[in-house]
Amino acid sequence: MTERTRVERSFRGISERLARHYLTNLGGERVDDETVAGEDWTASLSSETVGIGPSLTLTEVTVVFEGDPDALDGLIEDFAQKAMRAGG
């Protein structure tokens, strides 16, 4: 049986829709609203609104990546670069 790894990462300031878009651009196919699957990986999405300070809120998307460890290494790094937001 092939080894599978599970990695959970949270990203602030993006929507689930945008996260799905990034994952499909990285080789995945949308399974449903919460899941995108690639050849050797699956990503499950969830989101919540989180408070930042006394009056500011942001959307925080949590992505649970599961799959072949070699496939996940590059995928998570590439996704994190796309999801990174610069202030402005």
Side-chain angles (χ1 to χ4, degrees), residues 6-25:
R6 182 180 190 276
V7 177
E8 184 173 318
R9 296 275 307 268
S10 295
F11 303 89
R12 291 185 174 179
I14 66 170
S15 65
E16 282 188 55
R17 180 194 59 77
L18 191 55
R20 273 192 309 274
H21 176 73
Y22 292 158
L23 289 164
T24 58
N25 282 346

Side-chain angles (χ1 to χ4, degrees), residues 26-63:
L26 291 168
E29 290 189 27
R30 182 178 175 170
V31 176
D32 56 35
D33 285 347
E34 292 85 29
T35 310
V36 177
E39 186 174 327
D40 296 321
W41 56 269
T42 302
S44 302
L45 306 166
S46 62
S47 65
E48 64 181 336
T49 301
V50 294
I52 308 296
S55 61
L56 183 64
T57 60
L58 285 176
T59 300
E60 181 175 87
V61 174
T62 299
V63 184

Side-chain angles (χ1 to χ4, degrees), residues 68-85:
D68 179 272
D70 293 332
L72 291 186
D73 286 342
L75 174 68
I76 294 169
E77 183 176 326
D78 291 347
F79 181 84
Q81 287 180 1
K82 289 178 175 287
M84 187 185 328
R85 293 293 190 194

Side-chain angles (χ1 to χ4, degrees), residues 1-6 40 66-72:
M1 186 167 158
T2 304
E3 179 184 352
R4 290 186 60 86
T5 298
R6 182 180 190 276
D40 296 321
E66 294 184 81
D68 179 272
D70 293 332
L72 291 186

